Amino acid sequence: MTPLPHHDKKTEDSGLALSKELLDALAKFKEIELEDFELIAPELELIWEPGVAGQMMPKLKIPGLMAKPTALLQAAFMPPIQTYPGKIAEVKLGGTKGEGGTRGKSQIVGGETSPAFYTFESPLAHPPTITLDVFDMEVPLSKAVKMHVKEVIGDPAAWAKLAVEKFGADMVTVHLISIDPLLKDATPKDAVKTVEEVLQAVDVPLVIGGCGDPVKDANVFAEIAETFKGERFLLSSITQDMDVERCAKFAKKNGHAVLSFTPMDLNLARELNRRLYDFLAPEDIVMDLTTAALGYGLDYAFTNMERARIAGLMGDNELAHPMSSGTTNAWAAREAWLKMSAEWEPRELRGPLWEVTTALTLLLAGVDLFMMMHPAAVKTLKDVTNKLVSGSKADPSKYANWVSVKA
Amino acid sequence: MSKKAGTKELSPIDIYKLLPKTNCKECGQENCMAFATKIVNREITIDQCPPLFKKENEKNYLKLKELLKPPVKEVVVGVGDKAKKLGGKLVMYRHEFTYFNPTAIALDVTDEMPEQEIVSRVKRTENFSYEYIGYTLKLDMIAVRCTSGDAEKFKAAVKKVAETTTLPLILCTLDASVAEAGLMATPKANPLLYAATTENWKDMAELALMYKCPLVVSAPNDLNKLVSLVKTLITYGVTELVLDPGTFMNEGLSDTINNFTMLRRAACKGGEELAGFPLMGVPMVAWVDKGDAADEIVKWKEAYMASMLVVRYADVVVMHGTDGWSLLPTAVLRQNIYTDPRKPVAVAPGLKVFGTPDQNSPVFFTSNFALTYYTVASDIESAKLNAYLIVVETEGSAIDSGVAGRKLTAERVADAIKASGVESKVKHRKIIIPGKASRISGEIEELSGWKVQVGPRDSSEIPKYLVEKWQP
């Protein structure tokens, strides 16, 4: 007989090889006597039926049955690390005292070198920034939001203070709704006054939001850009139907950044960015590819942003900009604010969770700057991003017993 | 990268070459090339080609199977019309193709719950239903957890659940003898068995083989162990596997997202077959370290964890909270993520009636892009207006991009007005057009003969607009 293989050399199919030898020998001699034989195996089952060995053989030769491993086969998982030719531009928002502004500190958005939260590949350059919405006049708000801000509605400075001090906002967005020619048609000077009040109230960087009228917004932004030179606001937003050249020029001259907004179309986004490059550096441009609410087009927003981020990393410079999301749009979904039948209530929880879900979906697509509304949604997004950037710290033993936990 | 790992690279020619080329139309297609195109787009399967099953085509059939094999295996759980397909993913990013088999959502019961509670939770899971843009959102599975450690109790609970529902089951216990008791209670139901670990894999493998059921492989936060188990189990003969790399809240969130992402990337981009299985996420771990937190807080955490896992590649999730407010966002998100990005979502063109309009009611038009249509429809509905809305065929384009891309033209609007029959329903001849279509207002007036009123740019302003500007 050939010597039996040592158990250390056992490979995946050695069980079968061993059996084959044994069986061949059995077939030949009908009887075998083993001497000085030692078999070390975790488990061994020999079914011996004297006299019928010959008939047993075909049955015993079923490969699947005999190939069953008896010990864990080792395999290694190779982390699928990739490198990317591109890098997302870093945009600094908020001018500090030393830089000609008055902000306590700046916020940097962008700078990513991997898709969103692929921290197995490279650490996050900058955790996402959250800017809270502040309106300069009364606007329709859902009940779940209104209950948290009702005391400061109509007072943007107090609202901003609340957003920063109580809700933990990194930045504040001053929405100059009142400049809308169809609403109060407030003048650029009025808008400057509002911004001045907010600057006095908080020391975080500001986003300056217009009313959506391309001509009026440009006029107001121009006045604000010049008055607050060095504050490095994010002018939100510059759109295709505005005088892009004029806006880009006054932003550059006064050291502000712009939000390049396009309606859910990457080609339009590239085109608008190209027009801005004539006057602005990539480090001056954040892009808003449009946020649709969960249930109302979030799939388009998600895929658009994921595509843009991957394209940017793969070397498409025209899309290699930090992304901003008007996450507040989540509240446009009726499920966020509507009183529904009892099984879906309370809406006070459903609404902010709608905003959270919209935010987290886009967080995983690569959004760097979130414009948000509800304090609970803001807190959750902050918690989650803090955990996501804190690195590999899982304690598997803590959750291993979920099967038997008596919840 | 192998062909099967990058489905997008597959051309109809690759498929056509291996087809019988009989042009017999038995598949219902015009010819083999048309069939091949549908195969590449995953609209039909090769099993619909009868000649392919002839002996002489066996080799090509097997080649096609291999070529079309998704990098993430499709694993079926349950039986009958409620059976759930898990995985079967062709791509990592949805824009690369589309995602198949929406993440299954399972709610749990335990073997220590009173029978009444088991039944009511199962019923609640089964009856969860939400109507959303023409879809009915449902939950999919029941996870039965053994918290008692008692095989007989577990068996009784599984039996009760199986009597109550035909939803597929996940039997959760790490004790093989308990698992066997559960399987005996429902031997033909093809439940998903949870789970094989480095401790119990051999016994679980035997059960999976004996009861021919799919098996979850669990190796919390250890991908080397996970793929080692997969390799071992495949060699053992267990091929229907689901992978659980562990779901961790709080300080483990980063590892959780990284593990799911790495596994999916290794399968889809790296051709790593040991990672090519459906992934299981367990948002209900939020209940493990509940502590003194209010139930609402835990449900909130569980909900957002589930949503993150839906985005990051989970093919099945196990949840505990049964509240509508906490389940709905995840259910809607899943529907969103799993829509086919290749097709612009469009609604059928034609006349839509809101409220009870009369012959003086306003007439609007909008595009047939679903997002635009539902937004406008919801604005008209929520204001309780009586109005007619003509949906114009724009090939799924929104208003602004439709005008720019000539998908929304004055001709199409004029034709749609005529085809809608609205002329016989109102006595005026005034149409309110979207503000974003103002550029073509003159042409519309000319071609349709209707007087055009340019409406607001955003449909949310329609109610206000009507008060101020509408006179029949």
Side-chain angles (χ1 to χ4, degrees), chain A residues 12-13 43 64 67-84 115-121 180 182-183 212 214 241 263-265 268 292-300 302-304 306-308 310 332 334-335 337-338 340 343-354 356-357 360-361 363-366 374 376-377 380 383-385 387-407, chain B residues 92-95 99 110 112-113 128-133 145-148 172-174 194 198 201-202 206 209 220-221 223-225 227-229 231-232 235-236 244 247-255 257-258 261-263 265-266 272 274-275 280 282 284-289 296 299-300 303-304 307-308 311-313 318 320 323-326 328-330 332-333 336-337 339 341 343-345 369 371 374-375 377-379 381-382 400-401 457 461 464:
Chain A
E12 274 174 48
D13 56 0
E43 206 172 309
K68 282 180 180 176
T70 52
L72 194 67
L73 307 174
Q74 297 300 321
F77 181 81
M78 298 302 291
I81 307 285
Q82 200 181 315
T83 54
Y84 309 84
F117 298 98
Y118 282 38
T119 55
F120 60 90
E121 207 160 61
D180 191 332
L182 301 172
L183 294 170
D241 52 2
M264 208 88 71
D265 182 327
L268 293 179
L294 169 62
Y296 293 83
L298 180 61
D299 37 341
Y300 294 92
F302 170 76
T303 283
N304 230 11
E306 188 169 64
R307 289 187 84 154
I310 290 168
R334 61 176 52 180
E335 288 84 353
W337 52 266
L338 195 67
M340 292 163 63
E343 61 186 308
W344 311 107
E345 290 297 302
R347 62 175 159 163
E348 286 78 6
L349 289 169
R350 187 187 351 111
L353 188 58
W354 214 262
V356 165
T357 309
L360 291 176
T361 302
L363 180 78
L364 294 173
H374 195 283
T380 297
D383 280 355
V384 168
T385 51
K387 303 283 161 43
L388 281 174
V389 298
S390 70
S392 183
K393 284 179 184 158
D395 176 7
S397 64
K398 192 166 155 192
Y399 297 105
N401 68 334
W402 73 267
V403 168
S404 56
V405 77
K406 294 179 202 255
Chain B
M92 178 159 189
Y93 301 113
R94 72 187 277 276
H95 64 255
Y99 287 161
T110 76
E112 287 183 296
M113 284 176 182
F128 179 99
S129 176
Y130 186 73
E131 295 300 326
Y132 160 78
I133 58 163
R145 298 188 293 121
C146 176
T147 58
S148 68
C172 306
T173 172
L174 301 182
Y194 185 98
T198 49
W201 63 268
K202 198 158 177 266
E206 285 295 341
L209 289 175
N221 207 30
L223 298 185
N224 282 322
K225 272 192 189 141
V227 294
S228 296
L229 275 164
K231 185 180 175 186
T232 309
T235 311
Y236 209 92
D244 171 22
T247 301
F248 316 107
M249 303 298 295
N250 301 319
E251 70 289 342
L253 203 51
S254 169
D255 283 312
I257 296 299
N258 275 337
T261 306
M262 283 193 284
L263 284 167
R265 184 190 257 186
E272 173 55 85
L274 297 179
M280 178 193 261
V282 187
M284 77 148 286
V285 296
W287 296 87
V288 172
D289 59 354
E296 278 67 29
K299 287 171 191 164
W300 174 284
Y304 75 64
S307 291
M308 291 179 82
V311 176
R312 282 291 166 93
Y313 316 121
V318 181
H320 178 71
D323 293 29
W325 68 266
S326 66
L328 191 58
T330 305
V332 172
L333 177 64
N336 283 183
I337 295 291
T339 52
K343 294 176 194 152
V345 179
F369 176 43
L371 181 52
Y374 285 109
T375 308
S378 114
D379 287 331
E381 264 170 18
S382 59
D400 40 4
S401 53
R457 292 174 62 83
E461 288 168 31
K464 197 177 102 202

Side-chain angles (χ1 to χ4, degrees), chain A residues 232-358:
Chain A
R232 195 151 177 86
F233 294 145
L234 180 65
L235 303 176
S236 166
S237 47
I238 307 302
T239 58
Q240 299 147 299
D241 52 2
M242 289 170 85
D243 183 342
V244 173
E245 182 177 334
R246 178 189 174 211
C247 295
K249 278 180 172 165
F250 64 62
K252 187 72 193 173
K253 185 173 159 230
N254 300 293
H256 300 291
V258 301
L259 185 62
S260 140
F261 176 91
T262 47
M264 208 88 71
D265 182 327
L266 295 188
N267 285 327
L268 293 179
R270 287 192 184 95
E271 193 185 305
L272 180 55
N273 289 345
R274 276 200 299 274
R275 289 170 70 189
L276 292 167
Y277 295 151
D278 290 338
F279 313 97
L280 293 165
E283 291 72 29
D284 296 326
I285 304 169
V286 178
M287 59 182 184
D288 184 336
L289 302 173
T290 303
T291 294
L294 169 62
Y296 293 83
L298 180 61
D299 37 341
Y300 294 92
F302 170 76
T303 283
N304 230 11
M305 292 179 192
E306 188 169 64
R307 289 187 84 154
R309 175 50 48 92
I310 290 168
L313 291 169
M314 294 313 287
D316 184 342
N317 292 330
E318 291 166 8
L319 293 174
H321 294 276
M323 295 189 289
S324 172
S325 155
T327 315
T328 299
N329 287 354
W331 292 91
R334 61 176 52 180
E335 288 84 353
W337 52 266
L338 195 67
K339 181 143 185 75
M340 292 163 63
S341 57
E343 61 186 308
W344 311 107
E345 290 297 302
R347 62 175 159 163
E348 286 78 6
L349 289 169
R350 187 187 351 111
L353 188 58
W354 214 262
E355 187 178 352
V356 165
T357 309
T358 305

Side-chain angles (χ1 to χ4, degrees), chain A residues 38-295:
Chain A
E38 191 186 356
L39 179 69
I40 301 167
E43 206 172 309
L44 184 69
E45 194 175 296
L46 288 177
I47 300 165
W48 224 257
E49 281 190 59
V52 293
Q55 286 84 345
M56 290 279 295
M57 259 157 252
K59 216 173 162 188
L60 282 172
K61 276 187 179 168
I62 298 168
L65 193 66
M66 297 309 293
K68 282 180 180 176
T70 52
L72 194 67
L73 307 174
Q74 297 300 321
F77 181 81
M78 298 302 291
I81 307 285
Q82 200 181 315
T83 54
Y84 309 84
K87 183 187 169 197
I88 307 306
E90 257 177 6
V91 178
K92 190 164 131 182
L93 302 173
T96 60
K97 290 177 184 97
E99 297 161 332
T102 59
R103 305 298 80 200
K105 78 183 210 14
S106 307
Q107 281 285 332
I108 297 174
V109 292
E112 298 313 321
T113 54
S114 269
F117 298 98
Y118 282 38
T119 55
F120 60 90
E121 207 160 61
S122 53
L124 207 65
H126 303 285
T129 294
I130 301 176
T131 177
L132 255 77
D133 292 329
V134 165
F135 297 91
D136 69 344
M137 59 177 275
E138 190 152 353
V139 289
L141 292 173
S142 70
K143 196 180 150 215
V145 171
K146 203 169 186 170
M147 61 190 272
H148 295 280
V149 294
K150 59 176 185 290
E151 249 118 73
V152 293
I153 289 173
D155 184 348
W159 194 335
K161 229 174 150 55
L162 181 74
V164 173
E165 288 170 12
K166 196 163 166 215
F167 304 153
D170 303 312
M171 293 177 63
V172 165
T173 304
V174 188
H175 290 282
L176 300 164
I177 307 294
S178 66
I179 63 172
D180 191 332
L182 301 172
L183 294 170
K184 288 189 180 172
D185 201 16
T187 64
K189 292 276 175 226
D190 298 331
V192 163
K193 194 167 161 276
T194 303
V195 173
E196 178 62 46
E197 283 167 18
V198 175
L199 278 172
Q200 295 290 337
V202 295
D203 76 342
V204 298
L206 302 188
V207 179
I208 304 300
C211 68
D213 181 293
V215 175
K216 185 67 181 279
D217 280 359
N219 290 337
V220 170
F221 289 165
E223 188 83 19
I224 289 173
E226 272 179 38
T227 311
F228 302 105
K229 185 175 176 153
E231 290 290 359
R232 195 151 177 86
F233 294 145
L234 180 65
L235 303 176
S236 166
S237 47
I238 307 302
T239 58
Q240 299 147 299
D241 52 2
M242 289 170 85
D243 183 342
V244 173
E245 182 177 334
R246 178 189 174 211
C247 295
K249 278 180 172 165
F250 64 62
K252 187 72 193 173
K253 185 173 159 230
N254 300 293
H256 300 291
V258 301
L259 185 62
S260 140
F261 176 91
T262 47
M264 208 88 71
D265 182 327
L266 295 188
N267 285 327
L268 293 179
R270 287 192 184 95
E271 193 185 305
L272 180 55
N273 289 345
R274 276 200 299 274
R275 289 170 70 189
L276 292 167
Y277 295 151
D278 290 338
F279 313 97
L280 293 165
E283 291 72 29
D284 296 326
I285 304 169
V286 178
M287 59 182 184
D288 184 336
L289 302 173
T290 303
T291 294
L294 169 62

Side-chain angles (χ1 to χ4, degrees), chain B residues 49-300:
Chain B
C49 169
L52 208 46
F53 289 93
K54 288 188 181 150
K55 191 77 194 145
E56 67 265 27
N57 293 322
E58 193 185 341
K59 231 172 139 182
N60 280 351
Y61 173 77
L62 293 175
K63 271 190 199 160
L64 279 166
K65 273 267 180 225
E66 185 61 25
L67 202 61
L68 292 163
K69 196 166 94 178
V72 175
K73 191 182 168 93
E74 185 173 273
V75 172
V76 179
V77 182
V79 289
D81 58 355
K82 296 271 176 65
K84 207 74 206 164
K85 292 176 187 164
L86 309 180
K89 301 295 194 284
L90 295 167
V91 291
M92 178 159 189
Y93 301 113
R94 72 187 277 276
H95 64 255
E96 292 176 298
F97 196 69
T98 185
Y99 287 161
F100 293 103
N101 303 332
T103 313
I105 300 175
L107 287 188
D108 78 327
V109 297
T110 76
D111 63 353
E112 287 183 296
M113 284 176 182
E115 200 175 285
Q116 224 179 347
E117 193 182 349
I118 291 180
V119 172
S120 86
R121 282 180 70 89
V122 170
K123 285 280 171 211
R124 203 168 341 167
T125 306
E126 214 169 40
N127 296 337
F128 179 99
S129 176
Y130 186 73
E131 295 300 326
Y132 160 78
I133 58 163
Y135 296 91
T136 305
L137 308 182
K138 307 281 285 175
L139 303 178
D140 311 286
M141 300 171 102
I142 302 288
V144 189
R145 298 188 293 121
C146 176
T147 58
S148 68
D150 180 333
E152 285 311 308
K153 271 204 171 128
F154 188 61
K155 190 174 178 179
V158 173
K159 192 157 170 279
K160 189 77 229 164
V161 173
E163 280 168 13
T164 313
T165 183
T166 55
L167 288 178
L169 307 185
I170 309 176
L171 305 185
C172 306
T173 172
L174 301 182
D175 181 334
S177 57
V178 172
E180 181 159 29
L183 285 164
M184 278 160 68
T186 173
K188 300 237 175 342
N190 191 34
L192 179 59
L193 185 55
Y194 185 98
T197 65
T198 49
E199 306 294 317
N200 69 9
W201 63 268
K202 198 158 177 266
D203 294 334
M204 288 295 186
E206 285 295 341
L207 289 175
L209 289 175
M210 199 184 308
Y211 290 89
K212 297 189 177 61
C213 63
L215 178 61
V216 182
V217 183
S218 164
N221 207 30
D222 191 334
L223 298 185
N224 282 322
K225 272 192 189 141
L226 191 72
V227 294
S228 296
L229 275 164
V230 171
K231 185 180 175 186
T232 309
L233 290 164
I234 291 174
T235 311
Y236 209 92
V238 186
T239 55
E240 305 307 292
L241 301 173
V242 172
L243 313 186
D244 171 22
T247 301
F248 316 107
M249 303 298 295
N250 301 319
E251 70 289 342
L253 203 51
S254 169
D255 283 312
T256 307
I257 296 299
N258 275 337
N259 289 339
F260 275 78
T261 306
M262 283 193 284
L263 284 167
R264 193 46 50 96
R265 184 190 257 186
C268 291
K269 305 284 184 187
E272 173 55 85
E273 294 196 5
L274 297 179
F277 293 91
L279 303 178
M280 178 193 261
V282 187
M284 77 148 286
V285 296
W287 296 87
V288 172
D289 59 354
K290 179 179 185 291
D292 299 330
D295 280 5
E296 278 67 29
I297 301 284
V298 184
K299 287 171 191 164
W300 174 284

